[in-house]
Amino acid sequence: MGGEKPSPASTSDDGQNPSPTPSSSEDASPRKIHGFVWFVAVAATLSSIFLYSLDNTIVADITPTIVNTFGNVENLPWLSVGFLLGGEAAVLSFGKLYGLFDAKWIYIISAVIFNVGSAVCGAAPNLDALIVGRVIAGLGGNGMYLGVINLLSVNTTDRERPGYLGLNGLVWGVGTVLGPVVGGGFAESSATWRWAFYLNLCVAAVCAPVYLFWLPSFKPRPNDKPSTLLREYDFVGTLLIVGALITLIMGINFGGAVYAWNSGQNIALFVVSGVLFGLFGAQQTLCIFTSTKNRLFPVHFLKRYNAVLLFICAAASNCACFIPIYYIPLYFQFTRGDGAIDAAVRLMPYIIVLSAAILANGHLMGKFSYFQPWYIAGGILALVGGVLLSRIHTDTPEGEIYAYEVITGLGTGACAQAGYAVIQGMIAAEETAYSISFMMLAQTGGIALGLSLSGAVFINTAVQGLTTVLPGVPRAELQLAVSGTSGDYFRSLEPQQQEDSINAIVSALTNVFILVYVGAAVTLVCSLLFTKRKLYSTGPAIVG
């Protein structure tokens, strides 16, 4: 790379930058490549974010086809949970690797892992192999996501960075929405569902020359040998946090769906997770088998008031952001009988406004520097939108739903991706990789926790309601009907039973949307407590 990220003049213990940053440092480009070559490099890396986000939801509409191919319905939750597990477990590990080794090559290795997982999914002879492929793809995909943010961060100026990171969030959101459409399209075509995964290999083959020859390198410690850097990696911390996150996500996702909430298996998952989190916290704080410099988690960030608030805001706003993406289409599928493509079209008001808000945030926040107003306004709008969504019913006019989507999209888009740029205004340049993994943990943790909780709320509440409407029907059969793997089931019921069943499902959906306004409320409250309000300063620092 042609230079390093401009460093704040100084960084205090609480993350403030009391000294002004010269405007020449803000505007000086830290990279050698520009113009068409830079455009192609950015486009190629963003394509990997698109594919990763696409894979996050691509199984939504191919699940029935996979059941018909492999059976083994009881293991279906692993198709989505496995992808989340692979990704969430890798956040801190990849963050540390990007802080030690050449970002370009860690990114390329992550892309290889992601495509290996995609190939395993596409060629899977059974459901178990498909699940293994999903875990591998989630692991590599998360590494790619962190890599793109790192590469964009170290190759852009302070003023450019929010705009580029906003593009990253935009691509992620679009891919997440198109996942069910792309998956459903392949499932209904002669190409079969397998090409929903082989698609990743085709795009990677086209982009590979760009990764190898045009992507700028960035070595945080260019004078150290790889063997020296590897000895500094925190392997004990990695094992503890991976185990803690995996057992927590499994416990939330499987509660009431695979195992009863009070079953020995589910209780054991939560107990093991709690113990591992405790051990990880002690190991990182006391520096057992590691050091202050080498530990996996940036414990010193927890002493920075604004950084902690930013972490909470990122987790809460992304929880609020992603729940509508999953459950608004489901509402239209059950109440209007929409297929995958029609349901995705119904979500377009949300996605268009969300994307526009993310782009506006990236451009205007970088131009004017103030970030706190985005969180306050976003929290208010998302709170209003979430409350309105939680009050819908079976016959709510479509126009009203679209209006609620617009309000919620404006709110969540205003702040969901802002944290990556904001945190870098609170830390020194050498802590960039730490700061990105810190925010990535918040974002993916908020999404994973939000979707896990919403899934548990929806499945359990819907099945409970349907049990009253359809007494005598086995719980397992009702779970399949709610999950979409038995679409013909509701159509086989008597008209009155159909109506009562749909009402029970919509009632469950309204409970899910409560999590949207809870996340928005948390974002709003925390945003009011910021004492730092600007990304950078061209005069005296503004500190509340």
Side-chain angles (χ1 to χ4, degrees):
M1 194 197 77
E4 293 190 0
K5 173 192 164 188
S7 175
S10 64
T11 304
S12 66
D13 258 353
D14 64 354
Q16 307 296 345
N17 294 328
S19 301
T21 304
S23 59
S24 58
S25 296
E26 293 164 5
D27 298 331
S29 175
R31 62 181 181 275
K32 287 182 178 178
I33 63 172
H34 299 275
F36 179 73
V37 175
W38 173 242
F39 169 80
V40 173
V42 171
T45 54
L46 287 179
S47 73
S48 65
I49 296 296
F50 176 76
L51 293 175
Y52 175 47
S53 61
L54 199 73
D55 267 39
N56 196 42
T57 55
I58 206 165
V59 298
D61 282 332
I62 63 176
T63 301
T65 307
I66 291 173
V67 171
N68 292 335
T69 304
F70 297 134
N72 206 11
V73 171
E74 62 276 9
N75 287 333
L76 274 181
W78 278 102
L79 288 178
S80 57
V81 175
F83 194 78
L84 282 174
L85 287 177
E88 184 68 11
V91 174
L92 291 177
S93 302
F94 272 114
K96 184 64 175 178
L97 291 173
Y98 278 111
L100 294 173
F101 299 98
D102 189 338
K104 169 182 175 176
W105 289 103
I106 298 297
Y107 169 77
I108 290 175
I109 291 170
S110 300
V112 171
I113 294 173
F114 175 73
N115 283 284
V116 167
S118 299
V120 171
C121 290
N126 52 53
L127 188 60
D128 291 339
L130 183 57
I131 291 169
V132 170
R134 290 285 288 166
V135 174
I136 295 171
L139 175 70
N142 198 288
M144 290 193 307
Y145 192 100
L146 277 169
V148 173
I149 297 175
N150 270 281
L151 288 166
L152 290 177
S153 295
V154 298
N155 284 289
T156 55
T157 67
D158 287 345
R159 293 184 184 276
E160 290 177 319
R161 194 171 302 118
Y164 280 100
L165 296 182
L167 278 176
N168 181 76
L170 169 64
V171 171
W172 169 269
V174 172
T176 300
V177 174
L178 291 181
V181 180
V182 173
F186 277 119
E188 295 173 4
S189 71
S190 57
T192 76
W193 59 267
R194 295 183 183 274
W195 274 93
F197 303 107
Y198 287 144
L199 172 67
N200 299 334
L201 306 180
C202 298
V203 177
V206 173
C207 294
V210 179
Y211 299 156
L212 292 171
F213 302 114
W214 284 357
L215 202 60
S217 289
F218 175 73
K219 298 179 181 180
R221 295 165 59 180
N223 299 322
D224 291 336
K225 295 180 180 180
S227 57
T228 302
L229 297 175
L230 195 59
R231 283 196 295 270
E232 295 183 8
Y233 185 78
D234 185 0
F235 289 100
V236 174
T238 298
L239 290 174
L240 291 174
I241 191 61
V242 167
L245 290 169
I246 285 176
T247 48
L248 175 63
I249 294 174
M250 286 173 61
I252 295 173
N253 275 272
F254 293 163
V258 177
Y259 308 123
W261 284 104
N262 59 353
S263 67
Q265 298 97 319
N266 222 58
I267 292 173
L269 286 172
F270 286 116
V271 170
V272 170
S273 178
V275 170
L276 291 176
F277 270 119
L279 291 174
F280 177 72
Q283 187 255 349
Q284 294 291 292
T285 303
L286 303 176
C287 297
I288 302 171
F289 299 113
T290 186
S291 67
T292 301
K293 177 183 176 183
N294 300 330
R295 60 192 175 191
L296 199 65
F297 184 79
V299 177
H300 56 289
F301 279 17
L302 300 182
K303 299 178 181 178
R304 299 178 181 178
Y305 176 76
N306 288 295
V308 173
L309 290 177
L310 198 61
F311 184 95
I312 298 171
C313 283
S317 61
N318 276 279
C319 171
C321 178
F322 276 81
I323 288 174
I325 292 175
Y326 282 78
Y327 288 97
I328 287 176
L330 200 61
Y331 169 83
F332 283 112
Q333 286 174 337
F334 279 112
T335 62
R336 307 297 194 272
D338 287 352
I341 295 177
D342 291 335
V345 171
R346 305 273 200 182
L347 193 61
M348 289 307 292
Y350 183 77
I351 295 307
I352 291 172
V353 172
L354 174 70
S355 303
I358 290 174
L359 284 175
N361 168 258
H363 175 71
L364 296 176
M365 193 171 71
K367 183 176 181 179
F368 297 108
S369 179
Y370 286 98
F371 67 83
Q372 187 185 36
W374 291 92
Y375 283 94
I376 294 175
I380 292 172
L381 288 170
L383 176 61
V384 173
V387 169
L388 292 172
L389 284 172
S390 71
R391 298 175 64 83
I392 61 175
H393 49 79
T394 307
D395 299 321
T396 299
E398 294 167 8
E400 290 185 16
I401 302 291
Y402 299 150
Y404 303 161
E405 290 182 31
V406 168
I407 296 170
T408 310
L410 277 173
T412 56
C415 55
Q417 290 289 322
Y420 289 106
V422 176
I423 189 69
Q424 293 181 60
M426 298 180 177
I427 52 92
E430 59 268 20
E431 294 183 310
T432 294
Y434 259 148
S435 70
I436 291 173
S437 64
F438 185 69
M439 293 311 302
M440 183 69 176
L441 182 65
Q443 180 185 29
T444 58
I447 294 171
L449 186 63
L451 294 181
S452 298
L453 288 173
S454 60
V457 168
F458 175 65
I459 291 293
N460 286 282
T461 308
V463 169
Q464 183 178 1
L466 289 174
T467 301
T468 303
V469 176
L470 304 170
V473 177
R475 182 181 177 87
E477 189 172 346
L478 294 178
Q479 286 179 329
L480 290 177
V482 170
S483 66
T485 57
S486 183
D488 294 332
Y489 180 78
F490 289 117
R491 289 189 287 272
S492 68
L493 300 175
E494 296 294 327
Q496 187 59 50
Q497 287 183 317
Q498 286 187 36
E499 182 180 344
D500 293 341
S501 297
I502 299 304
N503 286 333
I505 290 172
V506 171
S507 177
L509 284 171
T510 61
N511 290 332
V512 167
F513 290 127
I514 291 174
L515 295 172
V516 175
Y517 69 75
V518 169
V522 172
T523 301
L524 176 59
V525 171
C526 289
S527 67
L528 293 171
L529 301 177
F530 282 124
T531 59
K532 179 178 171 63
R533 299 183 177 92
K534 298 182 73 175
L535 296 176
Y536 51 82
S537 55
T538 54
I542 296 180
V543 179

